[in-house]
Amino acid sequence: MSRYANGYFDDAPSRYGEDVNGSNDGTRTGSGAGGGRERRAGGYGGMGYYDSANSTPPPSTDRPTPPPEPPLEPRAGNWRRRPDRGDRDWSDQSRSRERSRVNGGRKFADGPGSKQIDDVLQYIQQEWGFMTEDQCIPVQVALQLMDSSSLGRAHQYDLFQQTHKHLQRALKAIVNEHHQGFNSSIGTFHKIQSSIHASQTRLRTLKHDLAHAKSSLSTTKPELKGLATSSQSYDDMLQILGQIEQLQLIPEKLEARISEKRFLTAVDILQSALRQIKKSEMDNIGALSELKVYLSNQESSLTDILIEELHSHLYLKSPYCQDRWKSYALEQSNMVESDDSDTPAVLTAGRPLYRFLEAMDVATPMVEDASRNPEADSFYYLQLLIEALNKLGRLEVAVNSIEQRLPLELFRVVERTNNEVDQRHPSSLGARSQNLKGKVNFGPREDDTRTLIVSDLLWTLYSKFEAIAEGHRVLHDVIAGIAKRERVRNGGSLTGSFKELWKIYQSEIRSFLHDYLATDGDLGSHAAQSKGSGANAFHRVQRDKTKRMFKLSNIDNKSIEMSTEQEDLDLILKSSVPGLVSESRRPAGITMTDGTQHHDGAATGHKLLIEPSVFNMSLLLPPSLSFIQRLKAIVPQGSDIVMSTLTSFLDDFLVNVFHPQLDETLVELSTECFTELDAFHEDPQWATVARKPIFKGTSTFFRLVIEFCRMLDTIPHDQAFSQLIITQMVTYHEKCSAWFKSLVSRADSRNESETLLKTSAEMSRSGELHDAVTKLWTAEQGEGAELIEREIGLLIMSNNEKPLEPVDIISDRKTIVSLCMLYSSMKWLATKIRQLRYLTDNQIDTSRHPGSKSRPNRRWTLLNSSGSRGGGSSSSGAGSSGGGGGADEDDTDIYLPMTQETLVSFDGVVSRFEELAADVILTLHVEVRCHAILELGGVLQRKGHVLEQAVNDPDDGVLALNADLVNLDDDVTTYLRAPEHRFIFVGVGALLDTLLVANAATLRPLNGHGADRMQLNILVLQQNLKNIETDSSLARAARYFDLFNQGPDAVIEHAKKQSASSANTDTGHHHHGGGEGDHLPFGYDELKTLLELCYSDALDSPRRDVALQAKRGLGDHLLALSEHMWQS
């Protein structure tokens, strides 16, 4: 075995006595296929081992020699060639492991071998560290070790060998310590080697198979293509069958979601099913035809269901909507906002609507909450339905349906509310319709059942209207949010339902006002039409197609049988043709009443619950205004509704409809008050309104005025309305004046076509007597003595100029009663109307601008009787003679608002009523005197006062006069108050006393028995007058005839005493009725007439001497009378 120059040996034995292939024969295997590479001789860096006996040691150098090492056993095998890159890599890995051990890492257990290897490695690291680097080239190092020059390392060669021996010894020690592990690893190595050979074999086989497969695949085979197509077709069929199974479950899932009201989920299920079933691969499957029809119908049916549910909650059909509106309460009408601002006084922030709108988020699509009942919150349910319709793509269809059905749905709401109120108040219009004909209807009072009916109807209806408006507000905001979220171009066309709703609200309010105010739709008009058409038996009447021809009677719509049949029919229709029958088209039951009530209909088609009257405005307007005030807070911002114009339609209604209708109604009702047969008869209920009887027409007219003022208190003030009632007051005054003239008129005997006034009416109209009587009427009690004397003188003078005739006086007692009631009525009416006087600052008067398009702005606030007149002033001129006791206390808070200009007309009307009352009382005052003058004059002018014997009965004329005075006193006492009674009869006794003395000349001839009868007449009149006028006295007339009985000398003696008394007292006043005896003065003419009466019987004696003697005695006494009277 020789060593090469590069340090390798040709035949180096293996360390373990065997080659790398496991053979121990020491032969070198070739490098051919299947032969393993020989193991390289031991040593580091390819340095071979050499035998000490055969090898020559390298030349020594000057470097120190390492200590001797024991000889190594020769290794079998060939010398290893220079290590390639892979060996160097292995060496790098070994050096890395060695460095880790040097740095303190322990790979083997502690022992002698481990200690030796650590020391060797540490030494190598210190001395031969350059050989552990990656840049070390073993050949170069070997050459350097053989180089003995100064640049070589030959001097380190012994050290290198010694280090190598120490390393070999350390490795041997490790092998000795771990030979068992090495032995076991040899077997493992063989197993790994066998696995590698097996893997190589399989790889060769796989490579061969792949090559064969490649060649096979590159060969064309048509049957494989068919199999692949069939396989793909089978896969598609299986997938389609799976989809069909899923589609078959869709109806059950869909109906379950619909029944649970989970419409968003239902829409998702339906749309997903429609997308699947409309795929091209589903077109030719005949088994899906029915399912396709079902899903298509379900799309329409679901749309109808969503629309119906939407209408159910919009128009309060659902039971879950009951808490959104409230029924009428008695105290509800008093809880009316009185705020003048544009926003209602009620705080709306706490209402459910605004809480929902604040919490609502439409920026993101709605997610359905399966844990809650969607219908429990009506607003949430509306949003759910709208989102479902939008997801279904039918939102525009739903909006169009809402707009189309809006009038019909609101009509049904009104009709349903109308029927509910009618059932709650069965004694409404139908029960009283027969008792209202021929009666003046002034509208309901506060305590009237009709008030309760109208309040119940309107407050309940407007509460529902408000709830419906809230639903439409939610509808508007949700649709607007969806349009903004999805950027819909025509989003404005989808949010116009609220404006349409407000238009229909206006129409309904206007219709309600018209129906319950219009008198042309009263109960008798329909009957008259039917009567007119039925006059001709052969006349063909056009049938009203809006009315039912017949109805099924005696059918209980709520019975179990009828309900079952109805449900079965609906189920059949829904299953056969889904969506054909909807809730809106389903009949709600037979609501038609019998044919006798067809006249209760109105222009709106709703049954009238109370009779129409313009005075119903006081009940109709406050709820309407309250509703409009509350509606302002509900109107959405983008609805194109101007808040300030919400009440403009009421302005148009008042000016264009209500004002003409009110004028017409006032004229009609006033005319009815005037022209009724009992209009100028005594009111049976006068005690409830006045202290003395008044005309029925007057009380009716004043009630008309009161109801008119009460109605004006509930509407915005307009002088045109006040002027209407003032005009009717003027008309009523004219009617009463005409009635007064008819009472005091008589036919002209010379011209029967003309009429003349009675003497009393003629005298009291103008002239001196009128002035005197007027002053007497206005004078205080006890201050009219001179006026009475003047009045008596004027009456006697007028009678002397034109004697009264029976046609000149009012002989009918009913006429006197009518005059008394006319006075009481006019005085009472003037007093009551004056109490309505109220000055307002509101100057609105639409009657001045009837054709102007721009009307003054109205402030539509809810006014009350006490708080609406701030800033004005009232002036009630109630006089003490008004006779206004006993009127309703409610009327004291009612006023007629007027401007300064209107007050002039109002005061003029009141003055006219008072003037008419004054004319009546003056006429009655003069009429009593005319009766006394006429009837007493008839007694005095009667012939036959010369009686042969004493008569114990008074004259018939005196008895008639007494009876007439008693009747007048009874009538005046009954129909007039004490002041009027005192004025009418004051001075009647003085008048009779004066007439008896002044007209005594008409008694000639008169004897003693005639004078005694005159005394009896005076006594009878005196006793009767004491019952009428307590301070009346006929003492002067009685003294006058006493002097007649005493003779001419007594007359002269009376004149003498009277003259002396006049001279002593220096007075010429006549105190009529102020004393008796000689203190009763008489004038010269009166005493002269008395002397002539004393001699009248003798002067008319057939005996000449008696007549001459009487004539001589008369002359002497007249001369004596002249001496005494003229001396005074």
Side-chain angles (χ1 to χ4, degrees):
M1 181 175 55
S2 62
R3 188 179 70 178
Y4 294 98
N6 59 359
Y8 286 90
F9 291 91
D10 182 51
D11 189 11
S14 176
R15 166 178 276 183
Y16 299 103
E18 57 184 1
D19 59 7
V20 295
N21 294 327
S23 62
N24 53 7
D25 52 359
T27 61
R28 180 180 179 183
T29 59
S31 59
R37 188 181 59 184
E38 293 184 355
R39 187 174 181 84
R40 190 178 60 181
Y44 183 79
M47 301 301 296
Y49 296 95
Y50 63 92
D51 193 324
S52 60
N54 300 324
S55 300
T56 302
S60 62
T61 63
D62 296 336
R63 286 173 290 186
T65 304
E69 294 181 358
L72 297 175
E73 296 180 357
R75 299 185 61 183
N78 299 324
W79 293 99
R80 198 176 70 176
R81 62 179 177 85
R82 180 181 178 181
D84 57 5
R85 193 67 181 172
D87 296 332
R88 189 166 60 247
D89 293 340
W90 177 85
S91 300
D92 294 341
Q93 295 175 4
S94 300
R95 284 194 296 270
S96 298
R97 288 193 297 270
E98 290 173 357
R99 283 195 300 269
S100 64
R101 287 195 298 272
V102 171
N103 293 332
R106 292 279 183 175
K107 188 172 183 180
F108 303 101
D110 294 338
S114 300
K115 183 68 170 71
Q116 293 178 16
I117 194 66
D118 289 338
D119 294 339
V120 172
L121 290 176
Q122 186 177 4
Y123 177 78
I124 293 174
Q125 187 69 29
Q126 293 176 357
E127 299 296 333
W128 303 93
F130 65 93
M131 295 188 68
T132 62
E133 296 178 357
D134 294 338
Q135 292 82 6
C136 178
I137 302 175
V139 176
Q140 182 180 2
V141 174
L143 293 176
Q144 289 178 355
L145 289 175
M146 292 170 43
D147 186 7
S148 59
S149 65
S150 59
L151 298 177
R153 292 180 180 271
H155 61 278
Q156 293 180 348
Y157 180 74
D158 295 336
L159 183 61
F160 179 81
Q161 284 186 336
Q162 188 178 3
T163 302
H164 180 262
K165 291 178 181 180
H166 282 293
L167 181 61
Q168 291 294 331
R169 190 183 305 114
L171 289 174
K172 186 176 181 179
I174 289 175
V175 170
N176 293 332
E177 292 177 3
H178 302 282
H179 66 279
Q180 295 180 355
F182 289 152
N183 293 331
S184 62
S185 63
I186 293 173
T188 304
F189 172 76
H190 286 291
K191 292 180 182 179
I192 293 173
Q193 191 177 23
S194 300
S195 299
I196 291 174
H197 282 291
S199 298
Q200 289 177 350
T201 303
R202 286 195 299 270
L203 286 174
R204 293 187 187 98
T205 304
L206 180 61
K207 181 179 180 181
H208 180 269
D209 293 341
L210 287 175
H212 180 70
K214 181 178 180 181
S215 62
S216 298
L217 290 175
S218 61
T219 303
T220 302
K221 294 182 178 181
E223 63 274 9
L224 293 179
K225 183 177 180 180
L227 292 176
T229 304
S230 300
S231 177
Q232 183 65 34
S233 176
Y234 291 149
D235 290 340
D236 295 342
M237 291 175 63
L238 290 175
Q239 186 177 1
I240 291 174
L241 289 175
Q243 294 178 359
I244 292 174
E245 290 180 357
Q246 294 179 358
L247 288 174
Q248 289 177 347
L249 299 177
I250 291 299
E252 183 178 357
K253 293 181 180 180
L254 185 61
E255 292 177 0
R257 299 294 87 78
I258 292 176
S259 63
E260 295 172 359
K261 303 301 179 71
R262 295 172 57 185
F263 292 111
L264 285 177
T265 307
V267 170
D268 291 337
I269 294 173
L270 179 61
Q271 288 183 335
S272 176
L274 287 174
R275 284 194 299 269
Q276 291 182 4
I277 206 169
K278 289 180 180 179
K279 291 181 179 179
S280 58
E281 57 267 20
M282 300 289 185
D283 291 341
N284 298 324
I285 301 177
L288 296 178
S289 59
E290 294 183 359
L291 187 59
K292 290 180 182 179
V293 175
Y294 171 80
L295 292 178
S296 300
N297 292 338
Q298 280 300 317
E299 187 175 14
S300 301
S301 179
L302 183 57
T303 302
D304 293 340
I305 291 174
L306 291 173
I307 293 176
E308 289 304 323
E309 290 292 326
L310 190 63
H311 282 80
S312 178
H313 278 257
L314 275 178
Y315 303 107
L316 313 177
K317 302 176 186 179
S318 173
Y320 294 96
C321 300
Q322 295 300 320
D323 57 345
R324 288 175 53 193
W325 61 278
K326 296 181 180 179
S327 299
Y328 170 73
L330 292 177
E331 64 276 6
Q332 187 170 355
S333 58
N334 297 326
M335 299 172 60
V336 178
E337 301 96 296
S338 59
D339 187 19
D340 294 344
S341 62
D342 292 336
T343 58
V346 179
L347 183 62
T348 58
R351 298 177 62 175
L353 171 65
Y354 300 99
R355 292 198 300 267
F356 173 78
L357 293 179
E358 290 176 359
M360 182 179 67
D361 182 17
V362 293
T364 58
M366 185 178 184
V367 178
E368 195 170 24
D369 187 1
S371 63
R372 62 184 295 184
N373 181 10
E375 282 193 284
D377 186 352
S378 186
F379 297 142
Y380 170 83
Y381 192 59
L382 288 175
Q383 182 185 6
L384 174 67
L385 294 173
I386 298 169
E387 291 281 359
L389 285 168
N390 178 61
K391 182 176 289 188
L392 194 60
R394 300 299 181 92
L395 183 58
E396 186 174 359
V397 175
V399 171
N400 294 334
S401 177
I402 291 173
E403 293 180 356
Q404 292 174 3
R405 292 173 53 177
L406 185 59
L408 178 61
E409 293 292 344
L410 287 180
F411 177 86
R412 289 177 177 175
V413 171
V414 176
E415 185 69 18
R416 186 165 58 249
T417 306
N418 206 53
N419 293 334
E420 291 173 358
V421 174
D422 189 26
Q423 292 176 2
R424 286 198 294 268
H425 306 282
S427 59
S428 57
L429 180 63
R432 300 191 310 273
S433 59
Q434 299 299 327
N435 298 325
L436 294 175
K437 296 181 179 180
K439 295 185 178 181
V440 180
N441 176 23
F442 295 114
R445 299 298 298 271
E446 293 183 0
D447 56 348
D448 194 356
T449 306
R450 295 175 294 173
T451 303
L452 180 61
I453 294 173
V454 175
S455 299
D456 189 1
L457 175 63
L458 292 184
W459 286 106
T460 303
L461 180 61
Y462 288 145
S463 178
K464 292 184 179 181
F465 276 3
E466 185 178 0
I468 293 172
E470 290 179 347
H472 278 269
R473 170 65 185 275
V474 173
L475 181 71
H476 176 277
D477 289 3
V478 173
I479 293 178
I482 292 175
K484 181 178 180 181
R485 182 182 71 203
E486 300 184 358
R487 299 179 181 179
V488 180
R489 295 182 178 179
N490 58 344
S493 62
L494 300 177
T495 57
S497 62
F498 200 94
K499 188 174 183 180
E500 296 298 325
L501 176 71
W502 170 236
K503 291 180 180 179
I504 298 178
Y505 276 172
Q506 290 183 5
S507 177
E508 287 293 337
I509 294 175
R510 191 183 298 109
S511 298
F512 260 98
L513 293 176
H514 180 272
D515 291 343
Y516 283 96
L517 297 178
T519 56
D520 54 354
D522 210 346
L523 301 178
S525 60
H526 297 278
Q529 294 176 2
S530 61
K531 181 178 179 180
S533 62
N536 185 3
F538 300 98
H539 177 70
R540 181 179 178 85
V541 180
Q542 185 68 25
R543 184 178 71 85
D544 188 358
K545 297 182 179 180
T546 61
K547 291 184 173 59
R548 187 174 302 186
M549 294 183 62
F550 67 92
K551 67 166 188 158
L552 301 177
S553 59
N554 299 327
I555 292 180
D556 186 6
N557 295 320
K558 298 181 180 180
S559 63
I560 299 176
E561 293 79 4
M562 288 293 295
S563 301
T564 304
E565 294 295 335
Q566 182 70 31
E567 292 176 358
D568 293 342
L569 178 60
D570 294 339
L571 182 61
I572 294 173
L573 292 176
K574 289 180 66 175
S575 60
S576 60
V577 186
L580 177 63
V581 180
S582 60
E583 294 293 333
S584 61
R585 299 166 185 161
R586 187 175 301 167
I590 300 175
T591 58
M592 187 70 179
T593 57
D594 55 7
T596 59
Q597 297 182 358
H598 70 279
H599 58 268
D600 291 338
T604 58
H606 306 298
K607 178 181 179 181
L608 296 180
L609 301 184
I610 65 170
E611 61 276 7
S613 171
V614 291
F615 301 100
N616 291 335
M617 179 65 80
S618 60
L619 296 176
L620 299 173
L621 199 55
S624 303
L625 292 179
S626 176
F627 165 67
I628 295 175
Q629 291 289 335
R630 297 194 303 273
L631 190 65
K632 288 183 179 180
I634 305 176
V635 175
Q637 297 296 331
S639 59
D640 298 334
I641 298 177
V642 182
M643 294 294 183
S644 58
T645 61
L646 284 179
T647 56
S648 59
F649 78 99
L650 291 179
D651 290 333
D652 297 334
F653 179 82
L654 285 180
V655 174
N656 299 326
V657 179
F658 180 67
H659 184 274
Q661 186 177 0
L662 181 61
D663 187 12
E664 180 182 354
T665 303
L666 279 178
V667 172
E668 180 181 353
L669 294 178
S670 300
T671 303
E672 191 172 352
C673 294
F674 311 152
T675 59
E676 287 291 333
L677 297 178
D678 56 351
F680 290 99
H681 292 179
E682 179 181 339
D683 186 3
Q685 305 295 329
W686 64 267
T688 60
V689 294
R691 296 176 183 175
K692 290 296 180 179
I694 59 175
F695 289 142
K696 182 179 180 181
T698 303
S699 63
T700 304
F701 178 74
F702 180 70
R703 186 186 172 192
L704 172 64
V705 174
I706 289 296
E707 295 297 334
F708 180 84
C709 295
R710 181 181 287 114
M711 180 201 61
L712 289 186
D713 200 28
T714 61
I715 63 177
H717 178 68
D718 192 337
Q719 284 302 306
F721 295 148
S722 300
Q723 190 62 43
L724 290 179
I725 197 62
I726 293 176
T727 302
Q728 296 308 314
M729 292 179 187
V730 173
T731 304
Y732 186 65
H733 172 266
E734 294 174 354
K735 295 294 181 180
C736 292
S737 298
W739 174 255
F740 171 67
K741 291 180 181 179
S742 66
L743 292 177
V744 296
S745 299
R746 64 179 179 87
D748 190 359
S749 58
R750 291 177 249 180
N751 188 358
E752 295 182 356
S753 61
E754 295 183 2
T755 57
L756 301 176
L757 295 178
K758 299 284 186 179
T759 301
S760 58
E762 187 67 31
M763 290 182 177
S764 61
R765 291 185 63 185
S766 60
E768 296 182 4
L769 182 61
H770 171 266
D771 297 339
V773 175
T774 302
K775 292 179 180 179
L776 180 62
W777 168 238
T778 58
E780 296 293 335
Q781 187 175 0
E783 298 179 357
E786 296 181 359
L787 295 174
I788 291 175
E789 289 183 4
R790 177 174 175 75
E791 177 192 24
I792 292 173
L794 292 173
L795 286 172
I796 294 176
M797 182 186 302
S798 176
N799 185 59
N800 292 335
E801 292 177 358
K802 185 179 179 182
L804 292 173
E805 298 179 1
V807 296
D808 293 329
I809 65 172
I810 302 174
S811 56
D812 187 8
R813 187 176 178 181
K814 293 182 180 179
T815 303
I816 298 297
V817 171
S818 297
L819 289 174
C820 292
M821 285 195 296
L822 179 61
Y823 170 81
S824 297
S825 300
M826 295 299 100
K827 196 66 178 178
W828 176 83
L829 185 60
T831 303
K832 287 293 185 181
I833 290 179
R834 183 181 283 109
Q835 294 175 358
L836 303 176
R837 191 177 190 271
Y838 175 77
L839 178 62
T840 182
D841 298 333
N842 198 328
Q843 302 293 329
I844 296 179
D845 188 357
T846 56
S847 62
R848 296 185 176 182
H849 309 282
S852 177
K853 295 183 179 179
S854 61
R855 303 185 182 89
N857 293 329
R858 301 178 183 269
R859 299 191 67 191
W860 285 93
T861 55
L862 303 178
L863 308 175
N864 51 49
S865 297
S866 60
S868 62
R869 302 182 180 88
S873 62
S874 62
S875 174
S876 61
S880 60
S881 59
D888 294 341
E889 295 181 358
D890 295 342
D891 297 345
T892 58
D893 294 334
I894 298 176
Y895 299 91
L896 180 63
M898 294 172 286
T899 59
Q900 190 65 44
E901 183 179 355
T902 314
L903 279 177
V904 176
S905 301
F906 179 81
D907 294 339
V909 175
V910 176
S911 299
R912 291 182 186 180
F913 284 122
E914 292 179 341
E915 291 172 1
L916 179 58
D919 291 342
V920 175
I921 197 67
L922 295 181
T923 300
L924 289 173
H925 178 87
V926 177
E927 183 64 28
V928 171
R929 282 142 185 80
C930 290
H931 277 257
I933 292 172
L934 178 62
E935 294 178 1
L936 187 58
V939 173
L940 296 178
Q941 293 175 4
R942 180 182 59 82
K943 302 298 183 180
H945 292 286
V946 178
L947 304 177
E948 298 294 334
Q949 57 183 1
V951 179
N952 296 326
D953 296 327
D955 283 320
D956 294 337
V958 172
L959 295 176
L961 176 58
N962 275 342
D964 199 5
L965 291 176
V966 168
N967 292 333
L968 289 173
D969 176 67
D970 291 341
D971 295 338
V972 172
T973 302
T974 302
Y975 293 97
L976 296 179
R977 299 182 306 158
E980 285 79 11
H981 178 276
R982 183 169 52 254
F983 170 71
I984 290 175
F985 288 98
V986 65
V988 174
L991 175 62
L992 293 177
D993 196 16
T994 303
L995 286 174
L996 288 172
V997 175
N999 294 333
T1002 59
L1003 294 174
R1004 286 182 289 185
L1006 178 66
N1007 61 1
H1009 293 296
D1012 292 339
R1013 191 174 187 183
M1014 287 302 300
Q1015 288 281 24
L1016 180 60
N1017 291 336
I1018 292 172
L1019 179 61
V1020 171
L1021 288 174
Q1022 178 69 48
Q1023 292 176 349
N1024 189 45
L1025 287 174
K1026 285 294 182 181
N1027 297 326
I1028 299 175
E1029 187 181 8
T1030 56
D1031 57 350
S1032 63
S1033 175
L1034 300 181
R1036 190 166 177 267
R1039 177 59 179 163
Y1040 191 80
F1041 287 99
D1042 284 342
L1043 291 176
F1044 176 85
N1045 289 331
Q1046 293 175 7
D1049 294 336
V1051 174
I1052 297 301
E1053 186 64 22
H1054 178 81
K1056 182 179 178 180
K1057 293 179 179 180
Q1058 179 176 323
S1059 297
S1061 176
S1062 298
N1064 292 333
T1065 58
D1066 193 22
T1067 180
H1069 295 289
H1070 297 276
H1071 303 285
H1072 297 285
E1076 297 180 358
D1078 296 336
H1079 297 287
L1080 297 174
F1082 295 102
Y1084 173 78
D1085 293 335
E1086 295 171 346
L1087 294 177
K1088 179 182 177 183
T1089 301
L1090 182 57
L1091 290 174
E1092 291 174 353
L1093 287 175
C1094 292
Y1095 290 100
S1096 62
D1097 187 26
L1099 291 174
D1100 291 341
S1101 175
R1103 295 174 59 185
R1104 184 177 179 83
D1105 54 345
V1106 176
L1108 290 175
Q1109 186 179 358
K1111 186 176 182 180
R1112 191 181 302 114
L1114 176 61
D1116 294 339
H1117 284 91
L1118 290 177
L1119 181 60
L1121 178 63
S1122 299
E1123 292 177 357
H1124 292 296
M1125 294 300 293
W1126 292 115
Q1127 289 179 358
S1128 60

